[in-house]
Amino acid sequence: MTAYDLAIVGAGPAGATTALAALHADPSLRVALLDRADFPRDKSCGDGIAPHCLTTLAGIGVTGVTDGWTPLTELELARGELSVAATMARPVHVIPRQVFDARLVERAVDRGATLVRERVTDVESLDARVVVGADGAHSVVRRHLGMPQGRRALAIRGYAPTPPERRGTQVIRYGERRQPAYAWAFDRGDGLSNVGYGELLPAEGEGMPPSRQLLLDQLELLLPGYEGADWKGHHLPLSSWRWDQPDGRVLLVGDAAGLINPMTGEGIYYAIATGVAAGQAAARALRTGEDAGVLHRGAVRARLGTHLKHTFVASRLAEYPVIVDGGIRVARRDRRVFDELVELGLGDGRISGRLVTGLVTGLGRKGATQLRSRLRKA
């Protein structure tokens, strides 16, 4: 392989954004985007593009990636008979990864990156001064670094016609199994919805993972009526209390870095945010001789460190159905709490004093005791 300044393994949103950010910082860099697939290609995902993604991309001069797709403003959260539905402060988009990823790759190539069709199995074979692992949940680059895997979830996704009553909406319905466990239906705005179900996988020795049929049965139980879809499954490496990145020339971003919101399963914002951080760190390290890993670790922790702690706590609180119910009740009567939950689940929000106070006052004695106990343990 021709020598490059920066080799990026994986050309999804994390990898393409890394290339875009590096070339935005220094257009003279020789950047390779390596992926085993041709683009456009499908990718199993919820397809939600939060507004935070677009703001972050705009910061490196990338715009127009949602052109032609209808923004969504309505969100419903529900568990059993309890629900809250409201208009989000900022709209989101639901764009198939076959479209969204290809648009980012096209912009990266236009900016000067070289797209290479190659399955990378050995990081040592890459002739580059800095290497970025953006190769997803089963990352070869992560294994090369010897980084352990944390908690994981498993989800199944398909596309099905949008019922008239669910046009223009995103619906999330929580289930009763290992938390987080929920079904979703996100209208794409083109007559189809992205629908699916996912749940936390058991730790080693704690039982068998859910079967494909069990996932489909849970989807039908929580959100019936979506049939005829071509179902695809995917693993989600969930973020934990503290995120780490080794020193050196090999960086991790997105799913490969173990960055999936453990409360919602959202990962595209994390992919784009860490892609920008990695691209900028690589460009600076190549220019100054500084350690790329140190630069990348500092940038990601500064941007997401506190947020990751809060989403970790939120995911543990969600293990208690009474707390999930309390959160829905509080969000129903306090619009600011609803907005805070959206920010926590889709962007880089945090658990506020208002949310905690609302939960404590609205849970009753039993629920408040569980909440305080869980917060102390966290």
Side-chain angles (χ1 to χ4, degrees):
M1 182 178 128
T2 303
Y4 289 94
D5 297 308
L6 173 61
I8 304 163
V9 184
T17 302
T18 300
L20 287 162
L23 290 164
H24 182 72
D26 184 352
S28 71
L29 291 176
R30 296 164 299 166
V31 177
L33 261 178
L34 301 102
D35 202 288
R36 63 184 181 181
D38 287 324
F39 287 79
R41 58 95 176 95
D42 188 21
K43 193 76 171 180
S44 183
C45 176
D47 294 343
I49 312 298
H52 313 73
C53 299
L54 308 184
T55 300
T56 304
L57 288 170
I60 55 170
V62 179
T63 59
V65 292
T66 61
D67 287 354
W69 290 86
T70 305
L72 301 178
T73 59
E74 302 301 312
L75 172 65
E76 177 188 345
L77 302 173
R79 199 185 82 84
E81 298 300 317
L82 190 64
S83 68
V84 56
T87 301
M88 292 176 285
R90 294 195 291 170
V92 303
H93 289 79
V94 179
I95 305 175
R97 294 284 297 276
Q98 188 172 18
V99 174
F100 185 73
D101 292 14
R103 288 181 174 183
L104 289 179
V105 168
E106 180 183 5
R107 282 159 173 78
V109 171
D110 288 346
R111 195 168 278 187
T114 300
L115 181 61
V116 181
R117 172 78 182 278
E118 181 174 336
R119 178 191 289 269
V120 175
T121 59
D122 178 13
V123 175
E124 296 295 340
S125 68
L126 299 176
D127 188 4
R129 297 167 64 191
V130 176
V131 173
V132 173
D135 48 340
H138 306 287
S139 171
V140 170
V141 181
R142 185 181 182 90
R143 288 202 303 271
H144 167 80
L145 290 174
M147 300 287 288
Q149 295 284 358
R151 298 193 309 163
R152 289 188 169 226
L154 179 64
I156 196 164
R157 177 232 72 185
Y159 296 118
T162 303
E165 68 274 14
R166 290 185 181 151
R167 289 175 185 161
T169 66
Q170 293 189 99
V171 180
I172 294 175
R173 293 190 181 277
Y174 293 93
E176 301 294 338
R177 288 179 53 81
R178 187 184 300 270
Q179 298 296 324
Y182 69 85
W184 73 84
F186 301 158
D187 182 24
R188 300 187 345 183
D190 63 350
L192 294 176
S193 286
N194 180 309
V195 296
Y197 170 82
E199 65 177 58
L200 182 68
L201 285 171
E204 187 174 352
E206 292 185 357
M208 296 293 293
S211 66
R212 174 188 175 90
Q213 189 58 54
L214 187 149
L215 297 176
L216 290 173
D217 289 346
Q218 287 296 305
L219 174 59
E220 177 65 20
L221 176 68
L222 296 171
L223 279 172
Y226 291 100
E227 299 177 353
D230 181 17
W231 302 105
K232 292 187 176 183
H234 60 285
H235 284 85
L236 297 92
L238 305 177
S239 62
S240 60
W241 176 262
R242 180 178 174 84
W243 179 80
D244 205 5
Q245 157 69 50
D247 295 354
R249 71 182 189 97
V250 182
L251 314 180
L252 294 172
V253 292
D255 289 15
L259 288 174
I260 296 285
N261 191 309
M263 188 177 85
T264 62
E266 199 283 334
I268 295 181
Y269 169 62
Y270 290 174
I272 288 173
T274 57
V276 169
Q280 292 173 343
R284 177 172 163 179
L286 290 166
R287 183 180 71 253
T288 66
E290 295 174 83
D291 187 290
V294 171
L295 293 173
H296 183 49
R297 181 172 64 245
V300 174
R301 285 183 178 175
R303 180 161 191 167
L304 294 176
T306 301
H307 164 75
L308 294 177
K309 289 180 172 61
H310 285 226
T311 56
F312 177 81
V313 170
S315 70
R316 293 305 176 94
L317 292 176
E319 295 174 5
Y320 294 91
V322 66
I323 295 178
V324 175
D325 292 349
I328 292 174
R329 289 192 185 95
V330 175
R332 192 163 57 184
R333 67 172 181 260
D334 189 331
R335 173 52 195 260
R336 284 174 290 185
V337 168
F338 178 86
D339 291 340
E340 288 171 0
L341 288 174
V342 172
E343 286 293 307
L344 188 65
L346 297 183
D348 52 11
R350 303 175 183 184
I351 298 173
S352 71
R354 174 180 292 275
L355 174 56
V356 172
T357 300
L359 283 172
V360 170
T361 57
L363 284 174
R365 181 177 297 176
K366 179 181 177 182
T369 299
Q370 290 184 356
L371 175 61
R372 293 190 184 98
S373 173
R374 197 65 193 176
L375 285 172
R376 282 195 297 269
K377 291 179 182 178

